[in-house]
């Protein structure tokens, strides 16, 4: 591509002229598709990545600085990063689905409910709210630790710490009774 055409596209981008996107697609679309495909290894995903990349390019058009990178390098980075983000997103979704399938929480039968279990909700009220919320999410709502982290908007490490402290507080109430062991089994298995 000639420097003159590249400069023209950059000017159009910075003016927020929609013709810039048409020119970018015409001159770089196939190459950027190739970049996306090399990362995601799927034609449909690569098309999605290119579309998302062009949206990002349009939104970030005022941030392009020709003194820092050539136009193609800038486009390449946006497309490559978008492709990597797409893969991570798919991977995270798959990981969460796997956690749900493997979780024993959803497979508890009536045989596992004992009289001691029935008063846990009452005794949960005796510990601090921040521990109650985590134990309720993990034990009574059947969430995995990652799901609780996402749902409650609490970092995963904090979820784990609050779980540990919450269980310690319940141990003070129940002593070393079988119910506490049952709780631990349900949450960690």
């Amino acid at each position: 591509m000639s420097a003159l055409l590249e400069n023209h596209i950059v000017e159009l981008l910075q003016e927020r002229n929609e013709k810039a996107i048409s020119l970018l697609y015409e001159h770089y679309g196939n190459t950027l598709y190739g970049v996306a495909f090399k990362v995601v290894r799927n034609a449909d995903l690569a098309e999605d990545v290119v579309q998302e990349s062009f949206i990002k390019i349009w939104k970030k058009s005022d941030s392009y600085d020709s003194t820092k990178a050539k136009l193609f390098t800038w486009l390449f980075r946006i497309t490559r990063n978008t492709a990597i983000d797409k893969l991570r997103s798919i991977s995270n979704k798959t990981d969460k689905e796997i956690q749900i399938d493997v979780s024993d929480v959803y497979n508890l039968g009536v045989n596992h409910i004992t009289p001691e279990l029935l008063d846990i909700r009452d005794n949960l009220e005796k510990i601090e709210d921040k521990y109650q919320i985590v134990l309720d999410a993990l034990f009574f709502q059947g969430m995995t630790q990652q799901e609780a982290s996402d749902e409650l908007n609490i970092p995963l490490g904090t979820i784990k710490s609050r779980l540990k402290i919450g269980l310690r507080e319940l141990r003070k109430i129940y002593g070393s009774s079988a119910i506490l062991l049952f709780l631990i089994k349900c949450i960690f298995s």
Side-chain angles (χ1 to χ4, degrees):
M1 171 177 286
S2 72
L4 188 59
L5 180 57
E6 186 174 306
N7 289 338
H8 179 63
I9 293 173
V10 170
E11 286 174 11
L12 291 173
L13 267 175
Q14 291 176 341
E15 292 171 3
R16 309 286 286 169
N17 186 325
E18 292 177 12
K19 186 171 181 176
I21 292 295
S22 297
L23 288 171
L24 284 172
Y25 193 79
E26 179 182 329
H27 293 282
Y28 294 104
N30 289 336
T31 305
L32 295 177
Y33 173 83
V35 169
F37 185 81
K38 188 171 184 175
V39 174
V40 298
R41 302 269 185 217
N42 177 292
D44 292 335
L45 280 179
E47 288 177 14
D48 289 346
V49 166
V50 171
Q51 287 179 1
E52 289 175 30
S53 297
F54 274 96
I55 291 169
K56 288 179 182 180
I57 289 164
W58 179 254
K59 288 181 178 178
K60 295 179 177 186
S61 61
D62 58 342
S63 71
Y64 172 68
D65 184 353
S66 60
T67 62
K68 292 183 179 178
K70 291 187 176 234
L71 180 61
F72 177 74
T73 304
W74 185 68
L75 299 171
F76 172 87
R77 285 182 186 153
I78 290 173
T79 304
R80 183 174 177 277
N81 290 341
T82 303
I84 291 168
D85 290 345
K86 178 68 84 177
L87 278 181
R88 285 180 183 152
S89 172
I90 290 168
S91 175
N92 286 340
K93 183 178 179 185
T94 303
D95 289 348
K96 286 180 184 179
E97 289 171 0
I98 290 171
Q99 285 181 1
I100 289 171
D101 293 342
V102 173
S103 175
D104 288 340
V105 174
Y106 298 105
N107 299 325
L108 293 177
V110 178
N111 298 342
H112 289 86
I113 298 177
T114 61
E116 296 89 17
L117 177 62
L118 298 176
D119 73 340
I120 288 181
R121 272 201 194 273
D122 297 333
N123 286 320
L124 268 181
E125 294 175 6
K126 296 177 183 175
I127 63 176
E128 287 184 59
D129 287 345
K130 61 185 179 182
Y131 307 123
Q132 281 182 41
I133 292 168
V134 170
L135 288 173
D136 180 68
L138 295 173
F139 184 69
F140 291 104
Q141 295 180 36
M143 294 182 194
T144 64
Q145 291 177 1
Q146 184 62 55
E147 288 170 337
S149 173
D150 295 342
E151 182 72 25
L152 301 172
N153 199 21
I154 299 172
L156 183 59
T158 305
I159 291 287
K160 291 179 180 195
S161 297
R162 289 183 182 174
L163 169 62
K164 183 177 178 181
I165 295 168
L167 289 174
R168 188 179 329 135
E169 294 300 310
L170 282 178
R171 187 177 299 123
K172 291 176 186 175
I173 295 168
Y174 285 101
S176 59
S177 71
I179 190 59
L180 186 56
L181 295 174
F182 176 73
L183 274 172
I184 293 169
K185 179 183 175 230
C186 290
I187 293 171
F188 288 111
S189 57

